[in-house]
Amino acid sequence: MQLKDKKKTRLAMAASSLLGATHSATLKAEEAGWNYDALMSGYAESDDRVNVVSFKMKGAKEDEDSSAVSFLIGIDAISGSSPTGAVGFAGLAKEPVGASFSKALAVDTLARSSGSAAPPPAPAPRPAPRPAAPAPRPATSSGGGSHPAPASNTPRPRPRPAPRPATSSLKSYPLYGNVEDSRYSGSVSWTTPVGRLTKLNYGLSGSAEEDYKDIGINSSISRDFNQKNTTLSAGINYAHDEIDGTIGNHAPLSSVFASNNEIGKQTKDVTDILLGVTQIFSKSVIGEFNYTLSSSSGYMNDPYKVVSIVNSKGQPVDHLYENRPDSRLSHALYGEYRIKTSRGVVKPSYRFFTNDWGITSHTFGLAYRRDLGKKSFIEPRLRFYTQTAADFYHTQLGSRGAAAPYASADYRLAGFDAVTIGLHLGGKTRKGNHWRAGVDYYTHRGKESDNQPPGQIRVNPDLQAITLRLDWSF
Amino acid sequence: MKKTILTGVMLVTFVLAGGCSAPVKPWERGTLARPEMQFGSEALNDAYDDHVYFSKEASSGGRGFGGGGCGCN
């Protein structure tokens, strides 16, 4: 009798599969209606840098005919400070920048009245700060002294190797202080089946924070082949962004001490294309492989990032707003497997990324979701990341002329390695709700090319961050 | 252990041959139907991770669209 029942169930499953109902549809048909997923998280960086508290929620509804609708909303509360890229120098006075703005930069600068190699075009009158070190007349020609200036065709300054400065003076990092912002984001997506094997998807997305707005539209198509063992997909996404720094957007490579160099609100357009394959290899192995192309054009600068001009002793004499190219073309290849073992699921992944700014990166991921009994699991996670520096990444510049045409000291454009170690726990409640809780520890280490002259504070300091999350679906 | 070796061999075979073995029949997909075997079954979690890395590193995209709309520090 029991055997007969089993046979019947199996037959019914086979029939429904043959009729084209996908597994998720089969499973969810019983509980038609909205399913929700909520994620609360906290992100904290070392040295009083950035802190983010986030709440995100997703709602999804799938009908029996496989048509679906979903939405996502999120709020991020951001606070803390972030390196500006300005060179800090032990013993130099901090000089305020943009005093007319409530949220001002403060940078270490040699007294500009006596020591500046290249005085800004129209400096605003300000009380001269007392120099902590005797102000030497810096060599204006490049190549002299222990700290050669990069010529425009030299990729990066190569100061002589120096020991990393002690981290005792953390507060003297040239940070952009008191960032406080809230980011609101949302998206909606619709999926419609076309015939038995094809699905069409349309979506809208947007986000807003005080200094950044984004609106996007996307569409994708996927089709099953090979008795639904292979799914091919293709998608396109277009986004338009508006950047309006809270300290203003400033003319690229103009001095932070100059006035009348504001350039107003700026925009950026991004087009992404995705091509993907999902392949079933066996009853217990499935893989996903994507290629994404991303093309951006417009204002790509970060309004809060600067590059310092230093004298032959490595002391900053001026700071210029960064300048990045106004276009970028990126390629990413991504692969991930899900392998069911007797005790859980292994999830290895790899991404190769490259763009025309000179950045190439490799990302290796590995997670093992191990079953703990029938209802819960433990998931150790590992991630290794390494990237090369952008062609125009300079920790500092030796003279103003060397800055042309592009320069940035943003730590995200530096060469660095990052490692994430995480441990997640999860399970299913009696009511059938899923939960996941986890902690992840992220470390970022700059590469040796960031060596700076003695006395300087690192432009690209190492970073540690911790993430806590709680995910609940109901 | 045997299973692991078998899985490894199958992966290598696929990569080398660029193809796949006999299609898995619909009624053989009990394991594959489990949420943890489906890409995108934890979209919110993945999106959170991607956004954190997007704002700290110069790479984006791969798992999905590059994401955006962030002046994050």
Side-chain angles (χ1 to χ4, degrees):
Chain A
M1 189 61 200
Q2 227 177 4
L3 254 175
K4 239 183 197 170
D5 278 354
K6 258 189 187 169
K7 226 177 196 175
K8 242 186 212 169
T9 318
R10 213 179 271 177
L11 269 173
M13 273 178 73
S16 73
S17 296
L18 287 172
L19 284 170
T22 64
H23 289 282
S24 43
T26 317
L27 290 174
K28 279 178 186 160
E30 299 160 19
E31 33 173 323
W34 286 90
N35 291 309
Y36 298 97
D37 190 2
L39 176 76
M40 269 175 295
S41 62
Y43 169 88
E45 294 181 351
S46 52
D47 303 336
D48 294 330
R49 283 171 65 170
V50 173
N51 286 286
V52 185
V53 177
S54 305
F55 176 77
K56 289 182 200 304
M57 188 163 162
K58 188 189 174 190
K61 182 171 173 276
E62 191 171 340
D63 292 332
E64 282 178 51
D65 67 348
S66 276
S67 67
V69 58
S70 70
F71 70 86
L72 206 150
I73 50 166
I75 303 174
D76 302 302
I78 306 153
S79 62
S81 54
S82 188
T84 55
V87 164
F89 201 92
L92 286 193
K94 283 214 182 298
E95 194 158 347
V97 171
S100 57
F101 302 104
S102 55
K103 295 174 180 176
L105 289 161
V107 285
D108 294 356
T109 313
L110 200 64
R112 290 175 304 110
S113 49
S114 57
S116 178
R126 73 181 67 243
R130 200 161 50 96
R137 203 83 214 163
T140 45
S141 65
S142 63
S146 63
H147 183 72
S152 51
N153 57 350
T154 316
R156 176 171 320 151
R158 290 270 176 200
R160 69 169 177 233
R164 287 180 176 186
T167 50
S168 57
S169 54
L170 291 175
K171 293 291 178 196
S172 67
Y173 275 142
L175 300 174
Y176 171 55
N178 306 320
V179 179
E180 263 187 47
D181 207 346
S182 299
R183 177 175 184 265
Y184 304 92
S185 56
S187 64
V188 214
S189 161
W190 296 270
T191 305
T192 332
V194 180
R196 204 167 59 81
L197 300 169
T198 307
K199 276 183 189 172
L200 274 176
N201 182 281
Y202 320 88
L204 293 171
S205 63
S207 74
E209 51 197 303
E210 194 182 347
D211 53 1
Y212 207 102
K213 313 263 182 298
D214 164 85
I215 186 154
I217 179 166
N218 63 73
S219 179
S220 63
I221 182 167
S222 68
R223 185 177 169 88
D224 296 324
F225 294 91
N226 189 19
Q227 298 177 36
K228 290 196 169 182
N229 278 237
T230 308
T231 306
L232 298 183
S233 52
I236 185 162
N237 176 57
Y238 168 76
H240 178 77
D241 293 3
E242 271 182 19
I243 304 103
D244 194 8
T246 51
I247 58 165
N249 297 333
H250 293 86
L253 302 180
S254 66
S255 168
V256 297
F257 303 114
S259 51
N260 301 323
N261 56 349
E262 279 204 53
I263 52 173
K265 194 184 284 179
Q266 299 291 310
T267 63
K268 175 169 83 182
D269 295 281
V270 185
T271 306
D272 296 306
I273 288 170
L274 182 145
L275 300 172
V277 186
T278 306
Q279 175 69 46
I280 292 173
F281 295 103
S282 77
K283 281 186 268 188
S284 54
V285 181
I286 185 167
E288 178 184 55
F289 311 92
N290 292 333
Y291 164 73
T292 52
L293 176 130
S294 180
S295 171
S296 311
S297 65
Y299 185 77
M300 314 285 277
N301 294 344
D302 183 323
Y304 310 107
K305 302 294 183 201
V306 302
V307 186
S308 302
I309 293 186
V310 299
N311 63 19
S312 58
K313 291 187 173 172
Q315 295 166 315
V317 294
D318 200 357
H319 307 273
L320 311 182
Y321 289 104
E322 69 163 28
N323 187 27
R324 307 181 186 196
D326 58 8
S327 74
R328 182 178 58 195
L329 188 67
S330 309
H331 309 268
L333 278 169
Y334 177 79
E336 182 182 348
Y337 284 95
R338 298 272 165 109
I339 304 159
K340 181 82 178 79
T341 65
S342 50
R343 288 282 176 80
V345 179
V346 184
K347 300 186 255 188
S349 66
Y350 169 72
R351 177 182 64 183
F352 172 77
F353 174 92
T354 187
N355 70 18
D356 60 359
W357 284 6
I359 290 167
T360 295
S361 76
H362 303 274
T363 314
F364 302 91
L366 183 63
Y368 176 43
R369 179 185 157 125
R370 192 184 196 283
D371 299 330
L372 296 175
K374 279 192 173 174
K375 286 192 170 165
S376 45
F377 67 88
I378 185 165
E379 186 179 286
R381 295 154 36 112
L382 265 178
R383 178 182 184 271
F384 295 96
Y385 176 81
T386 182
Q387 80 173 44
T388 59
D391 296 334
F392 52 89
Y393 173 78
H394 303 289
T395 55
Q396 54 208 281
L397 300 166
S399 66
R400 185 176 292 271
Y406 305 116
S408 174
D410 187 341
Y411 68 98
R412 291 166 296 190
L413 299 179
F416 68 87
D417 299 329
V419 179
T420 312
I421 301 172
L423 189 67
H424 290 200
L425 280 171
K428 201 173 163 183
T429 63
R430 278 186 194 165
K431 285 184 178 173
N433 299 329
H434 292 269
W435 63 275
R436 173 190 279 263
V439 55
D440 293 275
Y441 181 70
Y442 178 76
T443 56
H444 160 124
R445 272 182 75 93
K447 290 183 180 163
E448 288 308 299
S449 57
D450 278 335
N451 276 344
Q452 293 172 230
Q456 283 193 0
I457 295 158
R458 289 189 69 191
V459 165
N460 180 0
D462 291 346
L463 167 73
Q464 291 86 41
I466 209 158
T467 303
L468 296 170
R469 79 180 77 188
L470 180 63
D471 190 2
W472 187 266
S473 69
F474 52 95
Chain B
M1 191 62 201
K2 252 187 184 173
K3 221 174 187 177
T4 318
I5 293 171
L6 199 71
T7 307
V9 168
M10 285 178 72
L11 292 185
V12 171
T13 310
F14 172 76
V15 171
L16 292 180
C20 55
S21 46
V24 175
K25 302 292 179 195
W27 56 89
E28 297 176 323
R29 294 186 189 174
T31 298
L32 296 169
R34 297 166 70 110
E36 64 265 31
M37 288 297 282
Q38 288 175 18
F39 299 105
S41 61
E42 289 185 284
L44 208 54
N45 237 313
D46 296 343
Y48 178 70
D49 282 332
D50 288 346
H51 190 73
V52 169
Y53 295 127
F54 165 81
S55 49
K56 293 289 139 190
E57 298 171 348
S59 312
S60 64
R63 179 143 56 188
F65 292 125
C70 180
C72 348
N73 291 286

